[in-house]
Amino acid sequence: MRGVTHGSTIGQVRFNRLQISAEVSGVRLRYDDVATAPALGPNERLRNLDRLGAQARLAYEVSSRTSIYGSGEYKHFDYEHSPRVGDRDADNYVMTAGIRYEVSRALLAQVGLGYRAYDFRNPALGSVQGLAVSADLRYFPTRTLAFRGFVEQSNTINPYNLVGTVTLTNAQLKVEYEMRRSLSWIGSASFSLEDYAKVNYSGRRWELRGGPRLRVNRWLSFDASLGVVRRTAVGTAPFNSYSQVAGLLSFTLAR
């Protein structure tokens, strides 16, 4: 069982054609011990993590239909020390640049390329580096219907084994239908490829999710969704394949 506490602050300012945005975030993960037998359950504290991050993005409108942007992201992973696995603290860096182009009033496209690196503080664990790729396509065939597809790649830590850097490749297709001004229906299909460094296994994750969004007023909205998830392992992995059905109820207060 995992407990997650997440908080973030986002700011944005605009100067004519230049737009600057920044975000500071923090995540705290705490795992319960596995109680297989009294006083014999494995100690799971080695998975406990505090993560701090900062991100900045600059976008400039070259013309009425074209914008260029650059972004930088930093995350620090601070794991609870465990003699079983040693020091796993790490720093993650991502630098990207791209272009956003309005093909037509109904079609927007955005593509970004850059560099990503996940560096362990322990030199023996090395570093995972590679190309950072992101693509976003938005299509509005009618005033009440919207499609969005995106692909992105990032690095993180796998929480399911002792030390495992993961290159995540995520792809998602999302559909939103506005039944009326205060009520929309949202559905999504997503796929994730989990490529683990220095091991001979990987993971796959499929998810289907859908539900309504109710807008109470300009500041408050509620989302309810039901989803089906399937996760599988490729190769001799230390985790089992599983399926799950999950529901989510959330609210957003914006000013």
Side-chain angles (χ1 to χ4, degrees), residues 176 182-186 211-217 219-225 248-253:
E176 180 174 354
S182 61
L183 178 64
S184 297
W185 292 90
I186 301 174
R213 169 175 293 168
L214 177 63
R215 300 175 183 87
V216 180
N217 52 42
W219 318 116
L220 180 63
S221 63
F222 291 90
D223 289 69
S225 64
L248 177 66
L249 177 64
S250 63
F251 72 92
T252 301
L253 181 64

Side-chain angles (χ1 to χ4, degrees), residues 14 17 59-69 98-111 136 138:
R14 187 179 185 90
R17 295 188 174 188
Y60 181 76
E61 292 184 1
V62 179
S63 68
S64 60
R65 302 176 64 177
T66 306
S67 298
I68 56 175
Y69 71 90
I99 184 170
R100 181 177 183 270
Y101 180 64
E102 183 180 327
V103 182
S104 67
R105 289 182 176 271
L107 183 61
L108 301 175
Q110 179 174 297
V111 178
D136 194 336
R138 303 186 187 191

